[in-house]
Amino acid sequence: MALHTWVVPVMGHTAGTAIPATDMAVYSLPVLTGLVLGGLVITTAGALLPAGWAAKARTAAALRSE
């Protein structure tokens, strides 16, 4: 986020174009933190069900379903 506000305008200036303000808008730190934490919750929840099934299954059944 810190480099974004500096790098993007320099890239636009180098290319000879102006970067619109909508392209410069980035997420604020609280919003970004919420998105990251939400993603971690979703991936953890999505991984627990198959991991729990594999831990309870017999080895042969788990390998057949691979």
Side-chain angles (χ1 to χ4, degrees), residues 11-53:
M11 288 172 40
H13 179 70
T14 303
T17 62
I19 305 295
T22 55
D23 291 339
M24 290 296 300
V26 295
Y27 292 117
S28 63
L29 188 57
V31 172
L32 190 61
T33 302
L35 290 172
V36 168
L37 291 176
L40 289 174
V41 168
I42 290 170
T43 55
T44 301
L48 285 179
L49 183 65
W53 176 83

